[in-house]
Amino acid sequence: MYRGREGMWSWILHRVTGVAVLLFLFAHILDTMLLLYGPDVYNTVVGIYHNKFFLLMEVALVAAVIYHAVNGLRIIIIDVWPAATRHQRKLFWGAVAVIFAMLIPAAWLIPSPPIVWSG
């Protein structure tokens, strides 16, 4: 039993972020299917995504994907090298550092206007 330590929280967050990404994929498939009803319907629904709440949710989605990916790599390291279990806490906090190092630039770029390249 983890008793609230890093192992328990990483296990819970890994499952929660996995389900969150899966739910997003279902929603993305459904809103893409709206193209079957024409571009006006699709553009109306997708236009809803441009408000501040959905920008915040997009940052949360990127955070979930980054956490799930980095924590998955941490789990692979522990599975491949059993001696790594002795360093469970260090690996967790190292993963947290990598997650924030990746999330900070992503969270800064998401709400900014898109970059338009001109040739």
Side-chain angles (χ1 to χ4, degrees), residues 2 6-8 10-11 70-93 95:
Y2 290 118
E6 293 88 355
M8 183 186 81
S10 68
W11 182 87
V70 172
N71 191 54
L73 291 173
R74 184 188 68 85
I75 292 169
I76 290 170
I77 290 169
I78 291 171
D79 286 346
V80 171
W81 294 289
T85 57
R86 293 191 308 255
H87 305 287
Q88 158 79 7
R89 183 174 289 160
K90 292 176 191 174
L91 286 170
F92 174 78
W93 289 110

Side-chain angles (χ1 to χ4, degrees), residues 20-21 24 28 31 46-67 102-103 105-114:
V21 171
F24 164 76
H28 181 62
D31 70 18
V46 172
I48 295 170
Y49 298 150
H50 295 297
N51 70 37
K52 292 188 186 297
F53 173 75
F54 281 105
L55 285 175
L56 182 64
M57 294 308 295
E58 191 172 355
V59 172
L61 173 66
V62 170
V65 169
I66 290 172
Y67 176 82
M102 293 172 73
L103 182 59
W108 180 72
L109 288 172
I110 287 172
S112 64

Side-chain angles (χ1 to χ4, degrees), residues 30-49:
L30 290 175
D31 70 18
T32 304
M33 284 176 43
L34 291 174
L35 281 170
L36 296 172
Y37 298 102
D40 293 334
V41 174
Y42 176 78
N43 289 333
T44 301
V45 172
V46 172
I48 295 170
Y49 298 150

